[in-house]
Amino acid sequence: MASISFMYYLLALAMFSDVTLAFSSRLSPSYYDDVCPEALRTIKRVVEDAVNQERRMGASLLRLHFHDCFVQGCDGSILLDETSTIESEKNAAPNNNSVRGFEVIDKIKSEVDKVCGRHVVSCADILAVAARDSVVLLGGPTWKVRLGRRDSTTSNKTEANTSIPSPFMDLPTLLNNFKNQGLNAKDLVVLSGAHTLGFSQCLLFKDRIHTQTDDIDASFASRRRMNCPREGGDTNLATLDQTPSHFDTQYFDNLLLKKGLLKSDQALFSGDETNDLVQNYSANYGNFWKDFRGSMIKMGNIKPLTGERGQIRSNCRKVN
Ligand code: HEM
Ligand SMILES: *[C@@H]1O[C@H](CO)[C@@H](O)[C@H](O)[C@H]1NC(C)=O
Ligand SMILES: *[C@@H]1O[C@H](CO)[C@@H](O)[C@H](O)[C@H]1NC(C)=O
Ligand SMILES: *[C@@H]1O[C@H](CO)[C@@H](O)[C@H](O)[C@H]1NC(C)=O
Ligand SMILES: *[C@@H]1O[C@H](CO)[C@@H](O)[C@H](O)[C@H]1NC(C)=O
């Protein structure tokens, strides 16, 4: 009797529980242990080579996973090239001339397929593992990546344009954008901490540094204007914090001083509900580490394709 009602309970749970959770529960850190035990080591090796060649690549690979997950879930859709039937997400406004690292993903894919002897590792999983390995290489926390995502046969450029957050958003809009992905205020703040790594183009922060408001430090703005004029210089790069190859709390320290580079960065410390989180992570590296790890796993669990859905691509740029 007891076990029958327990089964009904499980059934009810399966029927009514959150869809994202129901699917993500099928991902597992040991997914490739039997089918290709060398897979994760191989990904790490290629990421190491790439990051040793250019430190920024670690940041770029982390961002690629984020931009993949926010469009149709973490399904490798961002990697598909334009064809007569695929409207590539690469050309969507938030990605065009901005996301990078595709050649590294291609290299990983070919090395992994070689070592596995067949196409068993998905491009979506490669993105998730490469993001983790990049963070570790640049001095950040490690975590066990849940695996078993399959690759999409579609992409959605319109969704990439509307779902990936813009650097011009204010706090309520950012919170809502993350909420649409099942992510909360803590996820927003701690994952924005990824901006402890990498660079931004002038175009994406010039309004902020050329407009005198009281949410930007005047001397910071003036220093940034030297390499980001009102007219021109749109693709000039600035670091997102002072240490673009070190996973540290500098990003949060800057927000406390009104020295966030993007409007969307400073919005996290603008007198509202997320202030405490920024202060917490600035003061305590351990909390930043711990929560970043948790939120990366949560982001990596967004709507994965599992079971019979999707496919394992043989070329990350093309549907089989
Ligand atoms: C909260 C909303 C976010 C906004 C509005 C945003 C926006 C941006 C922008 C505008 C850039 C510069 C792009 C360019 O210059 O072409 C950038 C870079 C970057 N973003 Fe974000 N981002 C957000 C969240 C995230 C998250 C959640 C992650 C990862 C977990 C992330 C990781 C990165 C990294 C690592 C870079 C540097 C990339 C490189 O140097 O190649 N960002 N972001
Ligand atoms: C992407 O950027 C290139 C410039 O590098 C431009 O020619 C092209 O029109 C842009 N694509 C879209 C879809 O905006
Ligand atoms: C692409 O995404 C948009 C916005 O989320 C949605 O309305 C549309 O149906 C999607 N297109 C395809 C072909 O799935
Ligand atoms: C992208 O979305 C914005 C609104 O978020 C819209 O103003 C813009 O026209 C869209 N661009 C394209 C190319 O669809
Ligand atoms: C800071 O963050 C940690 C980790 O999320 C949390 O346990 C702690 O309660 C927070 N402290 C404050 C003062 O908000």
Side-chain angles (χ1 to χ4, degrees):
M1 248 339 244
S3 77
I4 289 173
S5 57
F6 182 61
M7 279 176 60
Y8 276 114
Y9 169 71
L10 282 184
L11 192 66
L13 206 68
M15 287 168 68
F16 297 114
S17 71
D18 174 66
V19 178
T20 307
L21 268 179
F23 289 146
S24 67
S25 62
R26 294 193 216 146
L27 299 180
S28 150
S30 58
Y31 191 81
Y32 295 112
D33 285 4
D34 294 329
V35 283
C36 186
E38 286 299 310
L40 298 200
R41 258 190 298 274
T42 306
I43 299 174
K44 184 174 171 214
R45 179 170 54 72
V46 183
V47 172
E48 266 170 11
D49 288 350
V51 173
N52 286 338
Q53 230 171 69
E54 188 209 11
R55 308 295 281 168
R56 184 184 179 196
M57 191 50 72
S60 304
L61 292 173
L62 172 57
R63 185 166 183 242
L64 216 44
H65 177 48
F66 159 52
H67 282 207
D68 182 35
C69 292
F70 268 51
V71 184
Q72 306 187 152
C74 312
D75 62 355
S77 58
I78 194 173
L79 302 174
L80 292 173
D81 282 341
E82 185 92 5
T83 67
S84 56
T85 52
I86 295 287
E87 272 203 304
S88 180
E89 292 168 19
K90 295 176 184 181
N91 300 325
N95 291 333
N96 196 24
N97 303 311
S98 181
V99 285
R100 55 203 294 281
F102 298 111
E103 297 75 14
V104 177
I105 299 300
D106 290 340
K107 172 89 168 134
I108 295 172
K109 175 65 174 169
S110 79
E111 297 284 304
V112 164
D113 283 357
K114 210 187 311 168
V115 78
C116 301
R118 57 213 162 101
H119 308 300
V120 284
V121 180
S122 69
C123 301
D125 277 348
I126 288 175
L127 287 172
V129 175
R132 187 271 317 270
D133 291 347
S134 295
V135 168
V136 172
L137 275 170
L138 299 175
T142 191
W143 61 92
K144 282 196 159 70
V145 180
R146 274 58 172 173
L147 299 165
R149 298 169 189 79
R150 290 162 64 84
D151 298 323
S152 69
T153 55
T154 61
S155 65
N156 192 327
K157 184 181 164 189
T158 310
E159 193 177 326
N161 183 43
T162 52
S163 296
I164 296 170
S166 130
F168 310 113
M169 286 178 172
D170 61 13
L171 184 61
T173 315
L174 288 166
L175 285 167
N176 189 51
N177 178 281
F178 270 58
K179 194 174 164 208
N180 290 339
Q181 303 285 352
L183 300 174
N184 61 29
K186 184 163 111 176
D187 300 317
L188 167 65
V189 173
V190 81
L191 289 175
S192 294
H195 290 176
T196 180
L197 303 175
F199 296 78
S200 172
Q201 302 175 67
C202 160
L203 172 70
L204 302 167
F205 60 84
K206 74 165 42 170
D207 279 351
R208 172 163 160 75
I209 59 169
H210 286 276
T211 313
Q212 273 308 325
T213 58
D214 59 10
D215 78 339
I216 187 164
D217 174 83
S219 69
F220 170 73
S222 133
R223 267 197 314 281
R224 282 302 179 222
R225 285 196 294 268
M226 296 195 297
N227 195 38
C228 184
R230 181 76 264 183
E231 303 294 334
D234 283 357
T235 60
N236 293 356
L237 292 177
T239 61
L240 283 158
D241 77 0
Q242 296 90 318
T243 52
S245 313
H246 290 109
F247 196 96
D248 53 23
T249 59
Q250 186 73 60
Y251 169 80
F252 294 111
D253 303 344
N254 290 342
L255 300 186
L256 300 182
L257 300 169
K258 303 184 176 181
K259 294 178 180 175
L261 187 64
L262 308 176
K263 180 183 172 198
S264 56
D265 292 327
Q266 197 58 54
L268 305 177
F269 192 75
S270 52
D272 284 300
E273 58 183 289
T274 52
N275 274 17
D276 289 351
L277 288 160
V278 172
Q279 243 146 1
N280 191 335
Y281 297 138
S282 165
N284 193 318
Y285 192 47
N287 289 343
F288 175 38
W289 269 49
K290 174 170 143 305
D291 289 353
F292 189 79
R293 185 189 287 152
S295 291
M296 281 299 292
I297 292 171
K298 202 168 158 189
M299 183 177 86
N301 284 344
I302 298 174
K303 294 192 289 196
L305 297 171
T306 55
E308 297 295 303
R309 302 189 307 149
Q311 58 179 215
I312 307 295
R313 283 183 213 141
S314 54
N315 175 344
C316 290
R317 294 175 182 268
K318 292 184 201 154
V319 174
N320 290 345

